[in-house]
Amino acid sequence: MMIPFAFFAGTGVRVANELGAGNGKGAKFATAVAVSSCPPSSKQTLSSLSFHYSTQQCSASPLRVAVGSGWQSYVAYINLGCYYVIGVPLGFVMGWVFNQGVMGSGWNDFRWHGSSNLDIDHYYSQCDWDREAKKASMHVRKWGAEAN
């Protein structure tokens, strides 16, 4: 699990660095790469339960980009809503009603991430990356001046 988490951290830092440098196109490109790719280590995981969680890590790329973009509060609201409205009920139904146990909960996590990604993907499609980069550069200059 540590390798996918390293990709999570790296993706967020990359997007944050591009925005902080005022490079909206770079942030948009980093977003496209993160969302369209998956860590090779996750793709190679073939056991049944590990497959579910490695797939979940692949589906978390939009969340990684959102964290790096400074949209943590937006991500928190989406995650809370999707987890408690979609994830918990599906986990109960899949795990206990359909007697799938932990495997049902694994699929539940994947569905929860999928629903949250749809919300975040909609936000990306409406995002003006150049404006976001200008905002980030302004914050870096402001916080840099306060530190000195």
Side-chain angles (χ1 to χ4, degrees):
M1 287 303 291
M2 293 310 293
I3 293 173
F5 285 128
F7 280 96
F8 173 80
T11 300
V13 169
R14 177 65 181 197
V15 172
N17 286 345
E18 293 294 342
L19 289 174
N23 185 3
K25 289 182 183 180
K28 184 176 182 178
F29 178 72
T31 298
V33 169
V35 171
S36 66
S37 66
C38 174
S41 62
S42 295
K43 289 181 180 176
Q44 294 171 358
T45 308
L46 298 177
S47 67
S48 59
L49 187 57
S50 294
F51 175 76
H52 293 298
Y53 286 105
S54 64
T55 305
Q56 173 188 346
Q57 288 301 313
C58 292
S59 71
S61 293
L63 297 174
R64 296 172 185 144
V65 171
V67 168
S69 300
W71 304 330
Q72 290 90 342
S73 61
Y74 184 70
V75 171
Y77 290 126
I78 288 176
N79 273 340
L80 286 173
C82 290
Y83 181 75
Y84 286 107
V85 173
I86 296 170
V88 171
L90 272 176
F92 178 78
V93 169
M94 297 296 286
W96 286 278
V97 175
F98 290 115
N99 294 322
Q100 292 188 4
V102 175
M103 292 298 292
S105 295
W107 279 112
N108 157 49
D109 286 344
F110 180 67
R111 289 182 186 99
W112 161 54
H113 269 283
S115 60
S116 63
N117 287 344
L118 290 175
D119 292 336
I120 292 173
D121 286 342
H122 174 72
Y123 194 72
Y124 291 150
S125 68
Q126 305 299 318
C127 181
D128 180 359
W129 288 102
D130 291 325
R131 183 176 51 88
E132 292 292 325
K134 288 177 187 174
K135 277 185 1 185
S137 293
M138 181 187 67
H139 289 298
V140 168
R141 283 192 297 277
K142 176 184 170 187
W143 295 329
E146 290 176 4
N148 294 331

